Structure formats: C-alpha cells, structure tokens
Amino acid sequence: MSDNKNNFKINDILSDIDFDEIGNTIKDSVNATIRSFTKSKGSKENLPQTRNNEVCAQKPPELAKAKTYKVFSILSAIGFGLASFIFYVDEFAFMGGFDSFLFLIFLIMMTIGLPYVFWKASKEYFRLTNNYVRFIRELGNNTVISIRDLASSVAQSEEKTVSDLMKMMKRGYFYQARIVEDDSLFILDIPTFRLYKEKSKELPQARTSNKEEEDEVLVEDLSFERAKEIINQGKNSLDRIKLSQARTNDANFRINVDKLIKNSVDILNIVEKYPDKSYALNKFSDYYLPTAAKLVETYNDFEMMRTNDKKIVNSMNQINESILTIAEAFDKIKVELLADRAMDVKTDIDTINLLLNQEGYAEDDWES
C-alpha cells in the first residue's frame, strides 16, 4: 500500500515535468543568443555583454526624445512666429495699446525662447545618444574599462564622461553598471562587479601614484578571475555528471553523456586559454551545465528504482534526449567561441600573402 502511494505521488510529480523540454529550452536559448548577435552584427562572433539586453539598452532609450524635442523646437518656432506676425498685423498695428505691446513682446520671447530650450534639450539627448554608441563600441567585448579610455573615445574630460555615465545609468541606458575606484573604472555588469569586490579585498588599501597602470592590471585580473570562476563552476558540475554517469548502467545514455562531457571540457579549455571569452559564458556555468548535471543525476535516481512504470520510463527517455540536445547546443557554443579566432587566422594569412606579393616572394616568382 505504501509503495502504491509513493508511485502515485511520483507519477503526479512527473506529469508536471517535461524533461525533454528542458533540453530544448537550453538549445533554443543558445540558438537565440547566437542568432540575435548574428543578425545585429552580420557575423558569427560571440555575444558580448554589450549586446545583452539584460545588461544594457540595445537602442539608446532616449533617441526618440531627441527627435521629439527637435520637432517641438521647429514647430514652436513656426507656431509662435506665425502667432506673433498675425497678432502684430491684426491687433497691435491698429490698437497700439500698452497691453498689446506687452503681449507682442511675450509672443516674440516665446518665438525665440521656447524653440531654443527644446533645441538645447534635443542636442543634449543626441549628444548622450552618440556618446552611448561610442562607449558601447569602445567596450567591445569587455565588461570593465577605465574612464580614461571612455573619455578618450568621445574626446572629452574624464569628469564630463563620469557625469554622462551617471545620467545614462539613471535614464536606463545601463541596467547593471557601476563606477568604482574613485571614478576611474566603469564596470558593465553584476558578475564583473562581484569579481571586482572579491579582487579588491586582495589589493593593498594604499594606492600608488601610478593609478593608471593599476587600473589596467585590475581590468586584466578581472577577466582572468571571471574565467577562473567559470572554470571552477564548470568542473564542479562535470564532477557531478561523471559521478552519476559512472553509476549508470544504460550504455546508450552513457555515450550521450560522454558527448556532453567532451564538449563541456572543450569549452572550459577554450576559456582557460582565452580568458576574454568568459564574457559569453555566464549562462553556461550558471544554468546550462548545472541543469545538465541535475538531469544526469535524476536519470541515475530513476534507474536505481528498477521500475517499469510508464511515466518514469518515459521521463528517462526524455532525459536521454535532453542530454543529447544539450550536447549538440554545447558543440555550437564551442564553434562560436573560436569563430573569431578563425577570422584572425584568415586575416593573418591574407596579410602575409599581401606582404609576400609586395616583396616579390610570391609562389609564381619562385617558380620563375
């Protein structure tokens, strides 16, 4: 009787879980990430945090305001200018009273003043919009950068740049950004800020006079620390996966798990060799791989039950399909991570061929 009750409860729980959907969700997430960046950039580079709509706005949110204020400026100039002319012709020219004169002055002031205010507001919003685009371009694949570099990219003072960044942060351009180190470093996202806080505990409290060099070292250290964090989290998940795999009897499932492990190890090796790739792997270490580990553990738990219950058997089949789906998604991540390396190699080869041709060392020259 107790076993029947337990099976009934398990069946109720399993009916609410679609294990196959978990794998498809991860696969769709990976594909959506790659597709969104490919469409926006026309290339197959990785998706940096600057292209992540959870980190910063993909389109300057106040660009519409800039255009609107510009239109208001033109319309108010035309409207009040026309009103001033009509009032002068119809009223003031004939009546000539003091009240009419004051009202005419008011209309003239509005004709000049209101369009000027709208125009200034429009120029400020356009300036912030243009600076935002340049800041994003200067950040590139980085999630931390010195204020000095950002200021240089827009040819203005560091103080003005900090002021612009503060405005952007308040107005919804950057969702997770922080300015630290006495307004000398800009951090784009929360994971990098968390690493910065951990790293800053290790640094001496007294800063040396050469602050710029220290900031550059800190930027490099943060990329390295972030990569190390992803590698450690990934290895912990892989240890869980390998442990459950070793306890599993199903040969086909173990083969699929092997594919998952292989692709995961390859990804972690790429990050270890190229720490700057870590920006694209937040979901990999925080969600994709731990979810895969949970699925493998769940499969092992179900197998240990040694039951022919249809729902449990069906769930095991779904988990098996999910693991294969996730392994394929990881293979896609691996290819995307090295896509820009392939582009670099092609560029280097083209450059070498160009130099050889210029120096007369091309293949045809050797043959002749």
Side-chain angles (χ1 to χ4, degrees):
M1 185 72 178
S2 176
D3 289 340
N4 290 334
K5 285 183 178 181
N6 289 334
N7 283 335
F8 180 74
K9 290 179 181 178
I10 290 173
N11 286 334
D12 283 346
I13 294 171
L14 292 178
S15 64
D16 294 330
I17 301 175
D18 189 345
F19 291 100
D20 190 44
E21 186 64 24
I22 295 173
N24 287 326
T25 299
I26 291 177
K27 182 179 179 181
D28 291 344
S29 176
V30 172
N31 288 338
T33 298
I34 293 170
R35 274 199 309 271
S36 63
F37 189 60
T38 300
K39 289 180 180 178
S40 63
K41 295 283 285 184
S43 67
K44 289 188 177 181
E45 299 174 33
N46 304 307
L47 179 65
Q49 287 292 70
T50 49
R51 304 301 299 173
N52 185 347
N53 57 16
E54 295 179 0
V55 174
C56 55
Q58 299 308 297
K59 182 179 180 182
E62 294 181 322
L63 180 61
K65 283 186 180 180
K67 295 177 180 178
T68 301
Y69 276 119
K70 187 175 183 179
V71 171
F72 281 171
S73 176
I74 296 171
L75 292 179
S76 61
I78 294 173
F80 279 103
L82 187 60
S84 299
F85 177 76
I86 293 173
F87 181 78
Y88 174 79
V89 172
D90 291 347
E91 300 289 338
F92 182 74
F94 296 99
M95 297 172 59
F98 184 71
D99 290 343
S100 297
F101 174 76
L102 289 178
F103 189 68
L104 179 62
I105 294 297
F106 169 76
L107 288 176
I108 293 173
M109 290 176 63
M110 292 297 290
T111 303
I112 298 172
L114 196 59
Y116 176 78
V117 171
F118 284 143
W119 190 262
K120 287 283 287 183
S122 174
K123 283 189 68 175
E124 175 65 9
Y125 283 123
F126 272 122
R127 188 187 69 80
L128 285 176
T129 294
N130 291 333
N131 281 1
Y132 178 69
V133 172
R134 291 175 183 173
F135 290 161
I136 293 296
R137 188 183 302 126
E138 186 69 17
L139 275 161
N141 294 337
N142 300 308
T143 54
V144 57
I145 193 171
S146 70
I147 297 294
R148 183 184 182 88
D149 289 341
L150 290 179
S152 176
S153 70
V154 292
Q156 65 184 25
S157 69
E158 293 180 39
E159 291 77 12
K160 182 66 175 173
T161 300
V162 171
S163 176
D164 285 350
L165 289 170
M166 293 296 290
K167 290 177 183 176
M168 293 174 187
M169 290 160 64
K170 290 178 180 177
R171 295 176 181 180
Y173 289 61
F174 297 108
Y175 307 134
Q176 303 179 8
R178 306 285 197 283
I179 298 175
V180 298
E181 293 294 309
D182 296 327
D183 294 345
S184 66
L185 279 184
F186 178 76
I187 296 176
L188 182 64
D189 62 359
I190 291 174
T192 307
F193 179 64
R194 185 180 68 247
L195 284 174
Y196 160 76
K197 288 197 296 183
E198 294 173 0
K199 190 69 180 176
S200 61
K201 294 176 183 177
E202 303 171 8
L203 297 175
Q205 294 298 317
R207 302 295 300 269
T208 66
S209 58
N210 200 343
K211 192 168 181 297
E212 292 176 18
E213 287 187 7
E214 289 184 350
D215 288 341
E216 290 179 6
V217 171
L218 185 57
V219 169
E220 293 178 2
D221 284 349
L222 287 177
S223 294
F224 177 77
E225 290 293 329
R226 193 168 188 181
K228 189 166 70 172
E229 184 182 65
I230 287 173
I231 292 169
N232 289 336
Q233 289 176 341
K235 286 181 177 179
N236 288 336
S237 295
L238 282 175
D239 287 342
R240 291 169 54 195
I241 291 172
K242 291 175 182 177
L243 181 62
S244 295
Q245 183 198 32
R247 295 172 176 171
T248 302
N249 296 320
D250 189 295
N252 181 56
F253 183 71
R254 288 204 308 271
I255 290 172
N256 289 340
V257 174
D258 275 335
K259 295 176 184 177
L260 175 74
I261 293 172
K262 179 183 179 299
N263 287 333
S264 300
V265 169
D266 288 344
I267 289 171
L268 295 179
N269 286 338
I270 292 171
V271 175
E272 187 173 16
K273 188 173 183 179
Y274 306 108
D276 58 302
K277 300 292 184 185
S278 59
Y279 65 80
L281 294 173
N282 288 331
K283 286 185 179 179
F284 172 79
S285 60
D286 294 340
Y287 172 60
Y288 299 157
L289 201 51
T291 300
K294 188 66 176 177
L295 288 174
V296 177
E297 290 171 344
T298 302
Y299 186 94
N300 183 246
D301 291 341
F302 287 166
E303 191 180 60
M304 290 171 59
M305 295 173 67
R306 298 184 182 184
T307 178
N308 292 322
D309 184 273
K310 288 183 179 180
K311 285 194 175 181
I312 293 178
V313 172
N314 182 56
S315 295
M316 291 173 70
N317 290 333
Q318 287 183 345
I319 292 174
N320 193 21
E321 290 298 320
S322 272
I323 290 300
L324 188 57
T325 300
I326 295 170
E328 291 172 354
F330 283 6
D331 187 62
K332 215 171 234 185
I333 292 176
K334 183 171 63 176
V335 172
E336 290 299 319
L337 284 173
L338 291 179
D340 61 332
R341 299 296 300 176
M343 290 296 295
D344 290 342
V345 170
K346 183 180 183 303
T347 302
D348 290 341
I349 292 173
D350 291 342
T351 303
I352 290 172
N353 287 334
L354 178 62
L355 291 173
L356 287 173
N357 282 321
Q358 289 176 345
E359 296 296 328
Y361 296 136
E363 185 179 351
D364 291 341
D365 295 324
W366 284 105
E367 290 178 353
S368 63

